[in-house]
Amino acid sequence: MQIETYKVTLIACRAVLLMFFSVLIAPVNAQVLRKPTGPVLLTVSGLITQHNTGAVAAFDFAMLNALPASQIVTSTPWHGAPAKFSGPALKALLSSVGAKGKVLRLTAQDRYEVSIPMEDIESYGPVLALRMDGKELNVRNRGPILLMYPFDSYSHIATDVYYGRSVWQLLRIEVE
Ligand SMILES: Nc1nc2c(c(=O)[nH]1)N[C@H]1C(S)=C(S)[C@@H](COP(=O)(O)O)O[C@H]1N2
Ligand SMILES: [Mo]
């Protein structure tokens, strides 16, 4: 009998704790995405839960820069010798907008478009490179945002399919 009471109390305690933490976490999540104050470099739309400009999530440089940073050291078909590409992981950007989908449709400034499967994010950790060897990318050297894959770490992605997913001058991501 006493053991039963103990069990019920334990379950009740857990429920109260869960409720407490849910309340604590919910408003924090909702506040993550502030509004851009500088020029918008990237917009994310589609299956996302966080918006800051109508139905889309718009990012200026400071917002991208504030996301957890990542880096990839690799050679590429365009740069030859290995370089360090740094910026937010695509995964960090997607979690900041609550993205839940199967495919990402990427569009660049030159209207180049390509779809990448969501699995790429876990498999290869692509990075939204804002810098190359510490120097900010600009439109002339394929910036301001260049989606980089770790080509040197996984020889099987050093192919045209993945070079084609390495979008430069990235402008838009649609979560589908
Ligand atoms: N913005 C943009 N990114 C792009 C492309 C493009 O045309 N525009 N081409 C893709 C393809 S198909 C490949 S193979 C690589 C290399 O393109 P490049 O060698 O023609 O520069 O960039 C990819 N990223
Ligand atoms: Mo290509």
Side-chain angles (χ1 to χ4, degrees), residues 13-152:
C13 280
R14 277 188 190 151
V16 168
L17 266 176
L18 249 171
M19 268 155 60
F20 176 73
F21 281 111
S22 312
V23 167
L24 210 70
I25 287 162
V28 173
N29 261 339
Q31 276 170 16
V32 165
L33 209 61
R34 61 171 182 79
K35 273 192 189 299
T37 52
V40 171
L41 301 188
L42 180 69
T43 60
V44 188
S45 60
L47 303 177
I48 59 174
T49 58
Q50 305 292 308
H51 314 91
N52 59 10
T53 315
V56 313
F59 290 82
D60 61 17
F61 185 85
M63 292 167 73
L64 293 170
N65 216 23
L67 290 167
S70 221
Q71 65 175 55
I72 288 174
V73 177
T74 186
S75 58
T76 77
W78 322 287
H79 306 91
K84 184 178 85 182
F85 297 91
S86 55
L90 181 52
K91 182 177 180 170
L93 177 97
L94 293 176
S95 25
S96 79
V97 298
K100 291 238 158 54
K102 290 194 175 347
V103 173
L104 301 174
R105 185 97 192 130
L106 311 179
T107 308
Q109 288 182 20
D110 61 352
R111 302 196 177 191
Y112 175 78
E113 281 191 31
V114 72
S115 289
I116 71 168
M118 208 58 129
E119 288 84 55
D120 273 10
I121 280 99
E122 292 302 331
S123 305
Y124 309 116
V127 164
L128 295 163
L130 304 174
R131 295 182 180 82
M132 179 178 153
D133 289 332
K135 203 167 166 282
E136 267 171 40
L137 293 168
N138 54 40
V139 176
R140 284 177 68 184
N141 56 18
R142 299 177 192 267
I145 306 172
L146 164 62
L147 182 63
M148 188 52 64
Y149 280 78
F151 298 111
D152 285 357

Side-chain angles (χ1 to χ4, degrees), residues 78 108-110 112 142 160 163-169:
W78 322 287
Q109 288 182 20
D110 61 352
Y112 175 78
R142 299 177 192 267
D160 255 358
Y163 294 144
R165 292 180 185 177
S166 202
V167 177
W168 26 274
Q169 300 176 342

